Amino acid sequence: MSKLDLNRRSFLKAAAAMGVIASVRPVKDALAELITPAGGQQAHWISGNTLNYRRDGLAKVTGQKVFAIDLRARDMQGWPAQQSHALTIHIPRADRIYDGLDLSVLGSDYQPDVLIDAESIAADGLRMPDPGFYGEFFVKKGQVSPMLGHPVAVAIWHDYEKFRVANQRLRFNDAIFRFGAEAAQPRRAPYVAARYVRVQGEDAYGEDRFSPMKNIVIWPQLDEKGVHWPDSSHPAFGALMGESARIQAEMKQPKDGLRAFARKYYSQSIEHVAMEMENGLAWYERDSGALHMVAASQAPYGTAEHVMHMLKDSKLPLNQLDYISSYTVGYGQKEHHPFPFYVALASLYAQGRPVRLALDRWKHFQFALKRHPFDVETAISVDKDGKFHALTCHMVGDGGGVTNFSPSVGTVAVTAAQSIYYFPESDLSTEVYPSIGVTAGSMRCSPWPIPRCWSTRSPRRSAWMPSSCVDAMCSRAA
């Protein structure tokens, strides 16, 4: 069963359990005959086996509605033609207590019609689905933000001109935030740490002496003080930690006939620069409990399921969910990202009107998921003929303010260090820590300077090698 089928099955089970009539459908179905789908416009994009131009190329260059960010309420069949406009307000500091907003810069004429913050959603019993993964919706008054750029509120205007003026006055205006005393970040445990040790047996094709599949992956203790690696006396990890120490020592003092080469690399935090910024469109009918959403997501079934969980224990009824998944390009940035939940949240408070929430490029930089930065220390040893003998690699990553996919990215990154090459011995470890930086997620690339395609099998099986293939550019650590 494919991942898509599993996600669909999970979504349908959740809907049935909550008594919600729920559907996920592509935007072309929702738009009906109003807009011709890009894929059906031209019949000449391919001739035989020859690609003449991109199938959606003409739609894009002629300005047709292709992405979710192109759509408005008037484009959606059965929706009201008039829509409201929302914006997120992001905190610029993470070293002082947040005491609230001062929107006096807007005067009396441009105040938002609705202001949603931590207090208002708490009163209705709304919460971010899986907050340990996505974080909380808003920074609460009296707290220090866990990260730079975390939202403190969503504001909604029913009149576009008022929204436009207000947006201009609020942009880059740090004076709207009231701060209290200086405050240190609370100590947090690392998001993940793991070690993969492998030693071949008699030859490359025989049984390993040690390997993660034959033995175990080493999972150290994690707490607010950091990573606590076990020693050689540990009942489960001791033998592997002993081999790790031996490999590390021999890399520093190679045995006769071997030479070692060590390097340090750094890959910085990188913005995905997706073609469309984070955006969405939603309409909530409170009387009927129907929620209609258009969202740019690479994981529509998972996102829709989480929207249902968001309202599950709230005072707001949800009897029907019509989740419309639009064409998007996100390179992983729009997979398991929290932004669609802010779109749904805005609609719940838009007083029965459709509402559009879209980040501009600056706010996208400020809040959208990033690629993990890593410090990498790696070494290889080779014999006199240049044949690889051992590989060591230690990676320390920065996951930003919220967990998201840091545990997965950290372990996948280090287990990809070997790439397609075979080493009789290897000791690979990773640690990923929280910080006040923007949350890092699942970007289509690796922090490791590896070839474009990860091999699922080298000439001889490597027990920890990933079984996926990266279908995007890989950049070099510098």
Side-chain angles (χ1 to χ4, degrees), residues 97-99 118-119 122 136 138-145 151-152:
I97 297 295
Y98 170 66
D99 282 341
E119 286 74 21
E136 298 292 346
F138 301 118
V139 180
K140 297 177 181 178
K141 294 175 184 176
Q143 294 186 346
V144 61
S145 175
V152 297

Side-chain angles (χ1 to χ4, degrees), residues 442-475:
S442 57
M443 184 172 178
R444 294 292 182 263
C445 196
S446 165
W448 185 259
I450 61 174
R452 175 170 179 171
C453 187
W454 293 342
S455 172
T456 59
R457 300 288 182 193
S458 60
R460 193 265 182 225
R461 168 185 62 82
S462 290
W464 42 260
M465 191 164 285
S467 61
S468 59
C469 183
V470 178
D471 190 23
M473 293 184 298
C474 284
S475 59

Side-chain angles (χ1 to χ4, degrees), residues 362-433:
W362 161 244
K363 286 188 176 180
H364 189 86
F365 288 152
Q366 194 179 24
F367 185 56
L369 297 178
K370 302 295 179 282
R371 192 188 80 170
H372 289 73
F374 275 91
D375 287 288
V376 182
E377 296 185 25
T378 189
I380 62 172
S381 61
V382 299
D383 64 19
K384 62 182 180 180
D385 297 321
K387 187 176 181 180
F388 292 154
H389 175 70
L391 168 69
T392 62
C393 181
H394 181 59
M395 304 181 67
V396 178
D398 179 351
V402 176
T403 307
N404 205 270
F405 269 126
S406 283
S408 300
V409 172
T411 51
V412 168
V414 78
T415 54
Q418 179 174 314
S419 186
I420 62 173
Y421 304 101
Y422 179 72
F423 291 84
E425 298 183 346
S426 56
D427 178 35
L428 313 175
S429 58
T430 186
E431 301 172 11
V432 182
Y433 292 85

Side-chain angles (χ1 to χ4, degrees), residues 8 37 43 115 196 220 228 247 274 289 305 313 341 350 414 461 465 478:
R8 184 187 295 114
L115 186 68
Y196 302 80
H228 306 279
I247 293 171
E305 181 178 343
D313 299 320
F341 310 130
V414 78
R461 168 185 62 82
M465 191 164 285

Side-chain angles (χ1 to χ4, degrees), residues 51-127:
L51 181 67
N52 299 319
Y53 48 82
R54 283 184 62 105
R55 182 175 62 176
D56 58 358
L58 287 178
K60 289 177 178 176
V61 300
T62 55
Q64 297 190 40
K65 297 178 186 293
V66 176
F67 296 105
I69 204 168
D70 301 325
L71 300 174
R72 303 293 186 272
R74 63 178 177 269
D75 299 320
M76 310 308 298
Q77 195 171 47
W79 289 36
Q82 299 300 316
Q83 67 182 30
S84 298
H85 304 270
L87 60 82
T88 47
I89 301 176
H90 302 264
I91 197 167
R93 303 190 65 160
D95 60 352
R96 286 186 177 273
I97 297 295
Y98 170 66
D99 282 341
L101 290 172
D102 177 5
L103 300 182
S104 58
V105 67
L106 300 179
S108 59
D109 293 334
Y110 298 101
Q111 291 292 322
D113 294 291
V114 180
L115 186 68
I116 313 165
D117 59 13
E119 286 74 21
S120 56
I121 66 172
D124 287 326
L126 289 161
R127 62 192 298 271

Side-chain angles (χ1 to χ4, degrees), residues 216-221 230-242:
I216 197 171
V217 175
I218 300 170
W219 301 103
Q221 180 183 349
D231 59 26
S232 57
S233 64
H234 192 280
F237 303 135
L240 289 169
M241 289 303 297

Side-chain angles (χ1 to χ4, degrees), residues 198-209 422 460-461:
R198 183 183 164 274
V199 180
Q200 78 167 35
E202 294 297 324
D203 58 57
Y205 297 93
E207 184 179 357
D208 290 334
R209 286 181 54 211
Y422 179 72
R460 193 265 182 225
R461 168 185 62 82

